[in-house]
Amino acid sequence: MAANAQVRAVHSSALHSFSKFAEPAIRLIEGLGVEGDAHAGATVKHRSRVARNPTAPNLRQVHLLHAELFDELIGAGFPVFPGDLGENITTADIDLLALAAGTRLHVGAEAVVEVTGLRNPCVQIDRFQRGLMAATLARDEAGRLVRKAGVMAIVIAGGEVRAGDPIRVEPPEGPLRPLEPV
């Protein structure tokens, strides 16, 4: 991972809307997520998951998305910008998709999040911009599906996060587990 990994932008929304709003700072709350965000909570908050099992643990408290995806999407003709895809933290200079499950990201001075899995692009992305879901999916050289819409995490230690904050990667102990959709 690059030594200069950092937060590019932060977003939050109290509404269950697709996109989130740019903020000067967000506060991560241990075990819950982003203070005031509709997806914060110890149990699932995404509507489709609540319908399946409202008592399931919330493994999607914080959504992180790499700014490099926006560059790729804009190059492919999709005018998409930080916050548009519903992420809380837009990162730069870190390969989020290559992280192992259980990786801890130290964000800013105090906050720590633990990566739980990949965001699985859904039909809402196509409702936002037609064809965008296919643009956030690819195939690797072995033909396996690659989900490029960022990673999900839980909050291990709370703290304030703002654009420009550094991100330090702490790999998990033990055997590395590849990221799966959560």
Side-chain angles (χ1 to χ4, degrees):
M1 294 294 141
N4 56 349
Q6 66 174 294
V7 174
R8 177 73 54 87
V10 293
H11 308 90
S12 180
S13 177
L15 307 172
H16 276 279
S17 57
F18 182 71
S19 298
K20 295 192 184 287
F21 306 103
E23 301 287 349
I26 57 174
R27 176 159 297 282
L28 301 185
I29 307 297
E30 182 180 334
L32 296 177
V34 178
E35 184 176 60
D37 192 85
H39 296 107
T43 57
V44 293
K45 299 301 174 202
H46 289 77
R47 290 178 175 166
S48 64
R49 294 168 193 282
V50 168
R52 277 185 257 155
N53 181 359
T55 63
N58 187 1
L59 302 178
R60 300 166 57 101
Q61 294 174 355
V62 181
H63 177 201
L64 297 97
L65 187 62
H66 47 294
E68 295 80 3
L69 178 63
F70 294 110
D71 297 336
E72 178 184 329
L73 294 172
I74 288 170
F78 294 97
V80 183
F81 303 95
D84 284 350
L85 297 181
E87 80 276 10
N88 299 109
I89 300 174
T90 309
T91 66
D93 299 319
I94 180 172
D95 188 355
L96 294 174
L97 305 180
L99 298 174
T103 298
R104 290 190 173 188
L105 301 175
H106 298 256
V107 187
E110 302 172 320
V112 180
V113 298
E114 184 174 298
V115 177
T116 56
L118 295 167
R119 176 186 182 192
N120 196 21
C122 67
V123 68
Q124 287 185 353
I125 291 177
D126 269 350
R127 289 184 193 138
F128 180 71
Q129 284 187 36
R130 190 177 172 124
L132 190 56
M133 185 167 151
T136 62
L137 298 169
R139 298 271 174 193
D140 66 13
E141 46 291 334
R144 293 180 299 253
L145 187 62
V146 176
R147 293 166 176 88
K148 301 187 287 185
V151 299
M152 306 307 287
I154 58 173
V155 180
I156 301 299
E160 189 173 90
V161 177
R162 59 182 59 245
D165 280 351
I167 301 172
R168 183 175 59 82
V169 177
E170 178 188 346
E173 293 183 16
L176 299 182
R177 295 175 296 124
L179 294 176
E180 297 291 332
V182 292

